[in-house]
Amino acid sequence: QVQLLESGGGSVQAGGSLRLTCVGSGRTFSTLVMGWFRQAPGKEREFVAAISGGGGNRYYADSVKGRFTISRENGKNMVALQMNSLKFEDTAVYYCAADRLGGPYSSPTYRYWGQGTQVTVSS
């Protein structure tokens, strides 16, 4: 059974930092595109960042460029999201995703999804 497990969410004041991690199990993820999406209450799920299987290509939503960094450690089946200079509007449930099925990296068309981890930024 393939699973993605996120961790690292929590509450932080604006300007602070958090690091989210996602560990996959049940198969090898090293060849798969992996990404992070988020969903705030009452809003649609939106793209945050994605990274290619080898880690050489990274993609970011305009809203997080320069503040968030996506990385991966294939030997650990892990992808991470370092979030700096957090803003109130970054508050959301963050989801890890793996194995893009098609379309742009920003489209939520991934085969595997984690359960999500809450990030709350207070102003």
Side-chain angles (χ1 to χ4, degrees):
Q1 181 180 2
V2 176
Q3 287 187 322
L4 296 174
L5 182 62
E6 304 101 334
S7 62
S11 297
V12 65
Q13 289 190 328
S17 298
L18 283 174
R19 178 179 171 84
L20 305 183
T21 59
C22 170
V23 178
S25 61
R27 64 161 292 167
T28 300
F29 288 81
S30 59
T31 61
L32 304 180
V33 172
M34 298 187 75
W36 289 94
F37 288 74
R38 66 187 182 187
Q39 189 166 17
K43 295 187 177 181
E44 292 187 354
R45 190 167 297 189
E46 66 172 1
F47 171 73
V48 176
I51 188 167
S52 59
N57 295 306
R58 308 180 189 194
Y59 308 87
Y60 297 96
D62 288 342
S63 59
V64 307
K65 277 181 184 176
R67 299 189 298 121
F68 291 10
T69 302
I70 190 170
S71 61
R72 66 189 299 162
E73 292 187 48
N74 284 337
K76 298 180 180 179
N77 262 4
M78 187 188 78
V79 63
L81 186 69
Q82 178 66 42
M83 306 186 295
N84 299 328
S85 302
L86 282 161
K87 303 177 181 180
F88 174 76
E89 50 264 40
D90 294 319
T91 296
V93 177
Y94 283 70
Y95 297 90
C96 175
D99 195 8
R100 186 169 65 96
L101 297 174
Y105 286 92
S106 58
S107 177
T109 50
Y110 288 68
R111 187 185 308 275
Y112 306 115
W113 290 87
Q115 298 271 359
T117 185
Q118 176 71 46
V119 171
T120 302
V121 184
S122 58
S123 57

